Amino acid sequence: FFPEDFDFSSKTYYLYTVKETLDSISRAVTGLEKAVNTSIDKLNYTYTNGVCDQCRMGHLQVTNYLSDMNEIYENADTKKESSEYSIGPGNLGPFSGPYANTSRLMRRLVNMDLKFSLT
């Protein structure tokens, strides 16, 4: 997500478009799928309530404001909510819907954390 020569101690910030952000998430999920499919090790997959956990490789936690930014500034409404999604190739959780919904969520975004776990 950051350029190769990014200096984390600098005060430089990079802004990304919604499309660039979604492409980055998709590349991360697809990259993991390729690594799993080419691994010489065996991975154990578990089922939870009849659903294969292997099919949901990434875990995405999203924290966002409940209000649009203009409402936050006007009404000081800084209420937040956090949601967790299981994502994989072809399913990017909250970012799989219509572009308008994705764009709205990105405008309200506080924090996004993508984790992968292999068991």
Side-chain angles (χ1 to χ4, degrees):
F1 210 68
F2 292 99
E4 267 184 44
D5 60 348
F6 184 74
D7 178 9
F8 287 94
S9 64
S10 76
K11 298 295 181 195
T12 303
Y13 298 96
Y14 290 88
L15 300 177
Y16 294 90
T17 65
V18 172
K19 182 181 179 334
E20 289 170 330
T21 303
L22 297 180
D23 287 348
S24 177
I25 295 169
S26 183
R27 279 193 313 272
V29 172
T30 302
L32 179 65
E33 180 191 35
K34 288 178 182 177
V36 168
N37 289 338
T38 59
S39 175
I40 59 171
D41 196 3
K42 292 185 179 180
L43 303 175
N44 295 318
Y45 302 120
T46 58
Y47 284 80
T48 305
N49 297 325
V51 177
C52 175
D53 289 335
Q54 174 265 342
C55 304
R56 300 170 295 161
M57 290 193 268
H59 299 279
L60 179 68
Q61 183 171 2
V62 175
T63 303
N64 59 284
Y65 290 112
L66 295 176
S67 302
D68 286 332
M69 293 306 285
N70 61 333
E71 294 172 19
I72 291 170
Y73 292 125
E74 291 173 7
N75 305 322
D77 182 7
T78 58
K79 293 178 188 161
K80 301 173 191 172
E81 72 176 352
S82 290
S83 303
E84 195 165 316
Y85 303 90
S86 296
I87 65 172
N91 175 17
L92 297 181
F95 303 118
S96 291
Y99 183 80
N101 293 346
T102 298
S103 182
R104 184 172 184 225
L105 175 60
M106 295 297 279
R107 287 192 309 270
R108 295 178 171 197
L109 190 63
V110 175
N111 184 39
M112 180 171 55
D113 189 26
L114 178 60
K115 294 181 181 179
F116 297 101
S117 61
L118 301 174
T119 56

CSV table of all heavy atoms in Angstrom, one decimal, residues 10-62:
chain,number,residue,atom,x,y,z
A,10,SER,N,8.6,10.2,8.4
A,10,SER,CA,8.2,11.5,7.8
A,10,SER,C,6.8,11.9,8.0
A,10,SER,O,6.0,11.1,8.5
A,10,SER,CB,8.5,11.5,6.2
A,10,SER,OG,7.4,10.8,5.6
A,11,LYS,N,6.5,13.1,7.8
A,11,LYS,CA,5.1,13.6,7.9
A,11,LYS,C,4.4,13.7,6.6
A,11,LYS,O,3.5,14.4,6.4
A,11,LYS,CB,5.1,15.0,8.6
A,11,LYS,CG,5.7,15.0,9.9
A,11,LYS,CD,4.9,14.2,10.9
A,11,LYS,CE,5.5,14.3,12.3
A,11,LYS,NZ,5.0,13.3,13.2
A,12,THR,N,4.8,12.8,5.7
A,12,THR,CA,4.2,12.7,4.3
A,12,THR,C,3.0,11.8,4.4
A,12,THR,O,3.1,10.7,4.9
A,12,THR,CB,5.2,12.2,3.3
A,12,THR,OG1,6.3,13.1,3.3
A,12,THR,CG2,4.6,12.2,1.9
A,13,TYR,N,1.9,12.2,3.8
A,13,TYR,CA,0.7,11.3,3.8
A,13,TYR,C,0.4,11.1,2.3
A,13,TYR,O,0.5,11.9,1.4
A,13,TYR,CB,-0.5,12.0,4.5
A,13,TYR,CG,-0.2,12.2,5.9
A,13,TYR,CD1,0.3,13.5,6.4
A,13,TYR,CD2,-0.4,11.2,6.8
A,13,TYR,CE1,0.5,13.7,7.7
A,13,TYR,CE2,-0.1,11.5,8.2
A,13,TYR,CZ,0.3,12.7,8.6
A,13,TYR,OH,0.6,12.9,9.9
A,14,TYR,N,-0.1,9.8,2.0
A,14,TYR,CA,-0.5,9.5,0.7
A,14,TYR,C,-2.0,9.3,0.7
A,14,TYR,O,-2.5,8.6,1.6
A,14,TYR,CB,0.2,8.2,0.2
A,14,TYR,CG,1.6,8.4,0.0
A,14,TYR,CD1,2.6,8.2,1.0
A,14,TYR,CD2,2.1,8.7,-1.3
A,14,TYR,CE1,3.9,8.4,0.7
A,14,TYR,CE2,3.4,8.9,-1.6
A,14,TYR,CZ,4.3,8.8,-0.5
A,14,TYR,OH,5.7,9.0,-0.8
A,15,LEU,N,-2.7,9.9,-0.2
A,15,LEU,CA,-4.1,9.7,-0.4
A,15,LEU,C,-4.4,8.8,-1.5
A,15,LEU,O,-3.8,8.8,-2.6
A,15,LEU,CB,-4.8,11.1,-0.6
A,15,LEU,CG,-4.5,12.2,0.4
A,15,LEU,CD1,-5.2,13.5,0.0
A,15,LEU,CD2,-5.1,11.7,1.8
A,16,TYR,N,-5.4,7.9,-1.3
A,16,TYR,CA,-5.7,6.9,-2.3
A,16,TYR,C,-7.2,7.1,-2.7
A,16,TYR,O,-8.0,7.4,-1.9
A,16,TYR,CB,-5.5,5.5,-1.7
A,16,TYR,CG,-4.0,5.2,-1.5
A,16,TYR,CD1,-3.5,5.5,-0.2
A,16,TYR,CD2,-3.2,4.7,-2.5
A,16,TYR,CE1,-2.1,5.2,0.0
A,16,TYR,CE2,-1.9,4.4,-2.2
A,16,TYR,CZ,-1.4,4.7,-1.0
A,16,TYR,OH,0.0,4.4,-0.8
A,17,THR,N,-7.5,6.8,-3.9
A,17,THR,CA,-8.8,6.8,-4.4
A,17,THR,C,-9.5,5.5,-3.9
A,17,THR,O,-8.9,4.6,-3.4
A,17,THR,CB,-8.9,6.8,-5.9
A,17,THR,OG1,-8.4,5.6,-6.4
A,17,THR,CG2,-8.2,8.0,-6.5
A,18,VAL,N,-10.9,5.5,-3.9
A,18,VAL,CA,-11.6,4.4,-3.5
A,18,VAL,C,-11.2,3.2,-4.4
A,18,VAL,O,-10.9,2.1,-3.9
A,18,VAL,CB,-13.1,4.6,-3.7
A,18,VAL,CG1,-13.9,3.3,-3.4
A,18,VAL,CG2,-13.6,5.7,-2.7
A,19,LYS,N,-11.0,3.3,-5.7
A,19,LYS,CA,-10.7,2.3,-6.6
A,19,LYS,C,-9.3,1.7,-6.2
A,19,LYS,O,-9.1,0.5,-6.1
A,19,LYS,CB,-10.7,2.7,-8.0
A,19,LYS,CG,-10.3,1.6,-9.0
A,19,LYS,CD,-10.3,2.0,-10.4
A,19,LYS,CE,-10.0,1.0,-11.4
A,19,LYS,NZ,-9.2,-0.1,-11.0
A,20,GLU,N,-8.3,2.6,-5.9
A,20,GLU,CA,-7.0,2.1,-5.6
A,20,GLU,C,-7.0,1.3,-4.2
A,20,GLU,O,-6.3,0.3,-4.1
A,20,GLU,CB,-6.0,3.3,-5.4
A,20,GLU,CG,-5.7,4.0,-6.7
A,20,GLU,CD,-4.9,5.3,-6.5
A,20,GLU,OE1,-5.2,6.0,-5.5
A,20,GLU,OE2,-4.1,5.7,-7.4
A,21,THR,N,-7.8,1.8,-3.3
A,21,THR,CA,-7.9,1.0,-2.0
A,21,THR,C,-8.5,-0.3,-2.2
A,21,THR,O,-8.0,-1.3,-1.7
A,21,THR,CB,-8.8,1.9,-1.0
A,21,THR,OG1,-8.2,3.1,-0.9
A,21,THR,CG2,-8.9,1.2,0.3
A,22,LEU,N,-9.6,-0.4,-3.0
A,22,LEU,CA,-10.2,-1.7,-3.3
A,22,LEU,C,-9.3,-2.6,-4.1
A,22,LEU,O,-9.3,-3.8,-3.8
A,22,LEU,CB,-11.5,-1.5,-4.0
A,22,LEU,CG,-12.6,-0.7,-3.3
A,22,LEU,CD1,-13.9,-0.6,-4.1
A,22,LEU,CD2,-12.9,-1.4,-1.9
A,23,ASP,N,-8.6,-2.1,-5.0
A,23,ASP,CA,-7.6,-2.9,-5.8
A,23,ASP,C,-6.5,-3.5,-4.8
A,23,ASP,O,-6.1,-4.6,-5.0
A,23,ASP,CB,-6.9,-2.1,-6.9
A,23,ASP,CG,-7.9,-1.8,-8.0
A,23,ASP,OD1,-8.9,-2.4,-8.1
A,23,ASP,OD2,-7.5,-0.9,-8.9
A,24,SER,N,-6.1,-2.7,-3.9
A,24,SER,CA,-5.1,-3.1,-2.9
A,24,SER,C,-5.6,-4.3,-2.1
A,24,SER,O,-4.9,-5.3,-1.8
A,24,SER,CB,-4.6,-1.9,-2.0
A,24,SER,OG,-3.7,-2.4,-1.1
A,25,ILE,N,-6.8,-4.1,-1.6
A,25,ILE,CA,-7.4,-5.2,-0.8
A,25,ILE,C,-7.6,-6.5,-1.6
A,25,ILE,O,-7.2,-7.6,-1.2
A,25,ILE,CB,-8.8,-4.8,-0.2
A,25,ILE,CG1,-8.6,-3.6,0.8
A,25,ILE,CG2,-9.5,-6.0,0.5
A,25,ILE,CD1,-9.9,-3.0,1.2
A,26,SER,N,-8.0,-6.3,-2.8
A,26,SER,CA,-8.2,-7.5,-3.7
A,26,SER,C,-6.9,-8.2,-4.0
A,26,SER,O,-6.8,-9.4,-4.0
A,26,SER,CB,-8.9,-7.0,-5.0
A,26,SER,OG,-9.1,-8.1,-5.9
A,27,ARG,N,-5.8,-7.4,-4.2
A,27,ARG,CA,-4.5,-8.0,-4.5
A,27,ARG,C,-4.0,-8.8,-3.3
A,27,ARG,O,-3.4,-9.8,-3.4
A,27,ARG,CB,-3.5,-6.9,-4.9
A,27,ARG,CG,-3.5,-6.4,-6.3
A,27,ARG,CD,-2.3,-5.6,-6.7
A,27,ARG,NE,-2.0,-4.6,-5.7
A,27,ARG,CZ,-2.5,-3.3,-5.7
A,27,ARG,NH1,-3.4,-3.0,-6.6
A,27,ARG,NH2,-2.1,-2.4,-4.8
A,28,ALA,N,-4.2,-8.2,-2.1
A,28,ALA,CA,-3.8,-8.9,-0.9
A,28,ALA,C,-4.5,-10.3,-0.7
A,28,ALA,O,-3.9,-11.3,-0.4
A,28,ALA,CB,-4.0,-8.1,0.4
A,29,VAL,N,-5.8,-10.3,-0.9
A,29,VAL,CA,-6.6,-11.5,-0.8
A,29,VAL,C,-6.2,-12.5,-1.9
A,29,VAL,O,-6.0,-13.7,-1.6
A,29,VAL,CB,-8.1,-11.2,-0.9
A,29,VAL,CG1,-8.9,-12.5,-0.9
A,29,VAL,CG2,-8.5,-10.4,0.4
A,30,THR,N,-6.1,-12.1,-3.1
A,30,THR,CA,-5.7,-12.9,-4.2
A,30,THR,C,-4.3,-13.5,-4.0
A,30,THR,O,-4.0,-14.7,-4.3
A,30,THR,CB,-5.8,-12.2,-5.6
A,30,THR,OG1,-7.1,-11.7,-5.7
A,30,THR,CG2,-5.5,-13.1,-6.7
A,31,GLY,N,-3.4,-12.6,-3.5
A,31,GLY,CA,-2.0,-13.1,-3.3
A,31,GLY,C,-1.9,-14.2,-2.2
A,31,GLY,O,-1.2,-15.2,-2.4
A,32,LEU,N,-2.7,-14.1,-1.2
A,32,LEU,CA,-2.8,-15.1,-0.2
A,32,LEU,C,-3.3,-16.4,-0.8
A,32,LEU,O,-2.8,-17.5,-0.5
A,32,LEU,CB,-3.6,-14.7,1.0
A,32,LEU,CG,-3.7,-15.8,2.1
A,32,LEU,CD1,-2.3,-16.1,2.7
A,32,LEU,CD2,-4.7,-15.5,3.2
A,33,GLU,N,-4.4,-16.3,-1.6
A,33,GLU,CA,-5.0,-17.5,-2.2
A,33,GLU,C,-3.9,-18.2,-3.1
A,33,GLU,O,-3.8,-19.5,-3.0
A,33,GLU,CB,-6.2,-17.1,-3.0
A,33,GLU,CG,-6.8,-18.4,-3.7
A,33,GLU,CD,-7.9,-18.0,-4.7
A,33,GLU,OE1,-7.7,-17.0,-5.4
A,33,GLU,OE2,-8.9,-18.7,-4.8
A,34,LYS,N,-3.2,-17.5,-3.8
A,34,LYS,CA,-2.1,-18.1,-4.6
A,34,LYS,C,-1.1,-18.8,-3.8
A,34,LYS,O,-0.6,-19.9,-4.1
A,34,LYS,CB,-1.5,-17.0,-5.5
A,34,LYS,CG,-2.4,-16.6,-6.7
A,34,LYS,CD,-1.7,-15.5,-7.5
A,34,LYS,CE,-2.6,-15.0,-8.6
A,34,LYS,NZ,-2.1,-13.9,-9.4
A,35,ALA,N,-0.7,-18.2,-2.7
A,35,ALA,CA,0.3,-18.7,-1.8
A,35,ALA,C,-0.2,-20.0,-1.2
A,35,ALA,O,0.5,-21.0,-1.1
A,35,ALA,CB,0.7,-17.8,-0.7
A,36,VAL,N,-1.5,-20.1,-0.8
A,36,VAL,CA,-2.0,-21.3,-0.2
A,36,VAL,C,-2.1,-22.4,-1.2
A,36,VAL,O,-1.8,-23.5,-0.9
A,36,VAL,CB,-3.5,-21.0,0.4
A,36,VAL,CG1,-4.2,-22.2,0.7
A,36,VAL,CG2,-3.3,-20.1,1.6
A,37,ASN,N,-2.5,-22.0,-2.5
A,37,ASN,CA,-2.6,-23.0,-3.5
A,37,ASN,C,-1.3,-23.6,-4.0
A,37,ASN,O,-1.2,-24.7,-4.6
A,37,ASN,CB,-3.4,-22.5,-4.7
A,37,ASN,CG,-4.9,-22.3,-4.4
A,37,ASN,OD1,-5.4,-22.9,-3.4
A,37,ASN,ND2,-5.5,-21.4,-5.1
A,38,THR,N,-0.2,-22.9,-3.7
A,38,THR,CA,1.1,-23.4,-4.2
A,38,THR,C,2.0,-23.9,-3.0
A,38,THR,O,3.1,-24.3,-3.2
A,38,THR,CB,1.9,-22.3,-4.9
A,38,THR,OG1,2.1,-21.2,-4.0
A,38,THR,CG2,1.2,-21.9,-6.2
A,39,SER,N,1.4,-23.9,-1.8
A,39,SER,CA,2.2,-24.3,-0.6
A,39,SER,C,2.4,-25.8,-0.7
A,39,SER,O,1.5,-26.6,-1.1
A,39,SER,CB,1.4,-23.9,0.6
A,39,SER,OG,2.1,-24.4,1.7
A,40,ILE,N,3.6,-26.3,-0.2
A,40,ILE,CA,3.8,-27.7,-0.1
A,40,ILE,C,3.4,-28.2,1.2
A,40,ILE,O,3.4,-29.4,1.4
A,40,ILE,CB,5.3,-28.0,-0.4
A,40,ILE,CG1,6.2,-27.3,0.7
A,40,ILE,CG2,5.8,-27.6,-1.8
A,40,ILE,CD1,7.6,-27.7,0.7
A,41,ASP,N,3.0,-27.3,2.1
A,41,ASP,CA,2.6,-27.7,3.4
A,41,ASP,C,1.1,-28.0,3.4
A,41,ASP,O,0.4,-27.5,2.5
A,41,ASP,CB,2.9,-26.6,4.5
A,41,ASP,CG,2.8,-27.1,5.9
A,41,ASP,OD1,2.5,-28.3,6.1
A,41,ASP,OD2,2.9,-26.3,6.8
A,42,LYS,N,0.6,-28.8,4.3
A,42,LYS,CA,-0.9,-29.0,4.3
A,42,LYS,C,-1.5,-28.1,5.4
A,42,LYS,O,-1.0,-27.9,6.4
A,42,LYS,CB,-1.1,-30.5,4.7
A,42,LYS,CG,-0.7,-31.5,3.6
A,42,LYS,CD,-1.1,-32.9,4.0
A,42,LYS,CE,-0.7,-33.8,2.9
A,42,LYS,NZ,-1.1,-35.2,3.2
A,43,LEU,N,-2.6,-27.5,5.0
A,43,LEU,CA,-3.3,-26.7,5.9
A,43,LEU,C,-4.6,-27.4,6.4
A,43,LEU,O,-5.2,-28.1,5.6
A,43,LEU,CB,-3.7,-25.4,5.2
A,43,LEU,CG,-2.6,-24.6,4.6
A,43,LEU,CD1,-3.1,-23.4,3.8
A,43,LEU,CD2,-1.6,-24.1,5.7
A,44,ASN,N,-4.9,-27.2,7.6
A,44,ASN,CA,-6.1,-27.9,8.2
A,44,ASN,C,-7.2,-26.8,8.1
A,44,ASN,O,-7.0,-25.7,8.6
A,44,ASN,CB,-5.9,-28.3,9.6
A,44,ASN,CG,-4.8,-29.4,9.7
A,44,ASN,OD1,-4.8,-30.3,8.9
A,44,ASN,ND2,-4.0,-29.3,10.7
A,45,TYR,N,-8.3,-27.2,7.6
A,45,TYR,CA,-9.5,-26.3,7.5
A,45,TYR,C,-10.5,-26.8,8.5
A,45,TYR,O,-10.8,-28.0,8.6
A,45,TYR,CB,-10.0,-26.3,6.1
A,45,TYR,CG,-9.0,-25.8,5.1
A,45,TYR,CD1,-8.6,-26.7,4.0
A,45,TYR,CD2,-8.4,-24.6,5.2
A,45,TYR,CE1,-7.7,-26.2,3.1
A,45,TYR,CE2,-7.4,-24.2,4.3
A,45,TYR,CZ,-7.1,-25.0,3.2
A,45,TYR,OH,-6.2,-24.6,2.3
A,46,THR,N,-11.2,-25.9,9.1
A,46,THR,CA,-12.2,-26.2,10.1
A,46,THR,C,-13.6,-25.7,9.6
A,46,THR,O,-13.6,-24.8,8.8
A,46,THR,CB,-11.9,-25.6,11.5
A,46,THR,OG1,-11.8,-24.2,11.3
A,46,THR,CG2,-10.6,-26.2,12.0
A,47,TYR,N,-14.6,-26.3,10.1
A,47,TYR,CA,-15.9,-25.9,9.7
A,47,TYR,C,-16.6,-25.3,10.9
A,47,TYR,O,-16.6,-25.9,12.0
A,47,TYR,CB,-16.7,-27.1,9.2
A,47,TYR,CG,-16.4,-27.4,7.8
A,47,TYR,CD1,-15.3,-28.2,7.5
A,47,TYR,CD2,-17.2,-27.0,6.7
A,47,TYR,CE1,-14.9,-28.5,6.2
A,47,TYR,CE2,-16.8,-27.3,5.4
A,47,TYR,CZ,-15.7,-28.1,5.1
A,47,TYR,OH,-15.4,-28.4,3.9
A,48,THR,N,-17.2,-24.2,10.8
A,48,THR,CA,-18.0,-23.6,11.9
A,48,THR,C,-19.4,-23.4,11.4
A,48,THR,O,-19.7,-22.8,10.4
A,48,THR,CB,-17.4,-22.2,12.2
A,48,THR,OG1,-16.0,-22.3,12.5
A,48,THR,CG2,-18.1,-21.5,13.4
A,49,ASN,N,-20.3,-24.1,12.1
A,49,ASN,CA,-21.8,-24.1,11.8
A,49,ASN,C,-22.0,-24.5,10.3
A,49,ASN,O,-22.8,-23.9,9.6
A,49,ASN,CB,-22.4,-22.7,12.0
A,49,ASN,CG,-22.3,-22.3,13.5
A,49,ASN,OD1,-22.5,-23.1,14.3
A,49,ASN,ND2,-22.2,-21.0,13.7
A,50,GLY,N,-21.2,-25.5,9.9
A,50,GLY,CA,-21.4,-26.0,8.5
A,50,GLY,C,-20.8,-25.2,7.4
A,50,GLY,O,-21.0,-25.5,6.3
A,51,VAL,N,-20.0,-24.2,7.8
A,51,VAL,CA,-19.4,-23.3,6.8
A,51,VAL,C,-17.9,-23.5,6.8
A,51,VAL,O,-17.3,-23.5,7.9
A,51,VAL,CB,-19.8,-21.8,7.0
A,51,VAL,CG1,-19.1,-20.9,6.0
A,51,VAL,CG2,-21.3,-21.6,7.0
A,52,CYS,N,-17.3,-23.7,5.7
A,52,CYS,CA,-15.8,-23.9,5.6
A,52,CYS,C,-15.1,-22.6,5.9
A,52,CYS,O,-15.2,-21.6,5.2
A,52,CYS,CB,-15.5,-24.4,4.2
A,52,CYS,SG,-13.7,-24.6,3.9
A,53,ASP,N,-14.3,-22.6,7.0
A,53,ASP,CA,-13.5,-21.4,7.3
A,53,ASP,C,-12.5,-21.1,6.2
A,53,ASP,O,-12.1,-19.9,6.1
A,53,ASP,CB,-12.8,-21.6,8.7
A,53,ASP,CG,-13.8,-21.5,9.8
A,53,ASP,OD1,-14.9,-20.9,9.6
A,53,ASP,OD2,-13.5,-22.1,10.9
A,54,GLN,N,-12.0,-22.1,5.6
A,54,GLN,CA,-11.0,-21.9,4.5
A,54,GLN,C,-11.5,-21.0,3.4
A,54,GLN,O,-10.7,-20.3,2.8
A,54,GLN,CB,-10.5,-23.3,4.0
A,54,GLN,CG,-9.6,-23.2,2.8
A,54,GLN,CD,-10.3,-23.3,1.5
A,54,GLN,OE1,-11.4,-23.7,1.4
A,54,GLN,NE2,-9.6,-22.8,0.4
A,55,CYS,N,-12.8,-21.1,3.2
A,55,CYS,CA,-13.4,-20.3,2.1
A,55,CYS,C,-13.4,-18.8,2.4
A,55,CYS,O,-13.6,-18.0,1.6
A,55,CYS,CB,-14.8,-20.7,1.8
A,55,CYS,SG,-14.9,-22.5,1.4
A,56,ARG,N,-13.1,-18.4,3.7
A,56,ARG,CA,-13.1,-17.1,4.1
A,56,ARG,C,-11.8,-16.8,4.7
A,56,ARG,O,-11.6,-16.8,5.9
A,56,ARG,CB,-14.2,-16.8,5.2
A,56,ARG,CG,-15.6,-17.1,4.7
A,56,ARG,CD,-16.6,-17.1,5.8
A,56,ARG,NE,-16.3,-18.2,6.7
A,56,ARG,CZ,-16.7,-18.3,7.9
A,56,ARG,NH1,-17.4,-17.4,8.4
A,56,ARG,NH2,-16.4,-19.4,8.7
A,57,MET,N,-10.8,-16.5,3.9
A,57,MET,CA,-9.4,-16.5,4.4
A,57,MET,C,-9.1,-15.2,5.1
A,57,MET,O,-8.3,-15.2,6.0
A,57,MET,CB,-8.5,-16.7,3.2
A,57,MET,CG,-8.5,-18.1,2.7
A,57,MET,SD,-7.1,-18.4,1.6
A,57,MET,CE,-7.8,-18.0,0.1
A,58,GLY,N,-9.6,-14.1,4.6
A,58,GLY,CA,-9.2,-12.8,5.3
A,58,GLY,C,-10.3,-12.4,6.2
A,58,GLY,O,-11.5,-12.7,6.1
A,59,HIS,N,-9.8,-11.7,7.3
A,59,HIS,CA,-10.7,-11.1,8.2
A,59,HIS,C,-10.5,-9.6,8.2
A,59,HIS,O,-9.4,-9.1,8.5
A,59,HIS,CB,-10.5,-11.7,9.6
A,59,HIS,CG,-10.7,-13.1,9.7
A,59,HIS,ND1,-11.9,-13.7,9.8
A,59,HIS,CD2,-9.8,-14.1,9.6
A,59,HIS,CE1,-11.8,-15.0,9.8
A,59,HIS,NE2,-10.5,-15.3,9.6
A,60,LEU,N,-11.6,-8.9,7.9
A,60,LEU,CA,-11.5,-7.4,7.7
A,60,LEU,C,-12.3,-6.8,8.8
A,60,LEU,O,-13.5,-7.1,8.9
A,60,LEU,CB,-12.1,-7.0,6.3
A,60,LEU,CG,-12.1,-5.5,6.0
A,60,LEU,CD1,-10.7,-5.0,5.8
A,60,LEU,CD2,-12.9,-5.3,4.7
A,61,GLN,N,-11.7,-5.9,9.6
A,61,GLN,CA,-12.4,-5.2,10.6
A,61,GLN,C,-12.5,-3.7,10.2
A,61,GLN,O,-11.4,-3.1,9.8
A,61,GLN,CB,-11.8,-5.3,12.0
A,61,GLN,CG,-12.6,-4.5,13.0
A,61,GLN,CD,-12.1,-4.8,14.4
A,61,GLN,OE1,-11.1,-5.5,14.6
A,61,GLN,NE2,-12.7,-4.2,15.4
A,62,VAL,N,-13.7,-3.2,10.1
A,62,VAL,CA,-13.9,-1.8,9.7
A,62,VAL,C,-14.5,-1.0,10.8
A,62,VAL,O,-15.5,-1.5,11.4
A,62,VAL,CB,-14.8,-1.8,8.4
A,62,VAL,CG1,-15.1,-0.4,8.0
A,62,VAL,CG2,-14.1,-2.6,7.3
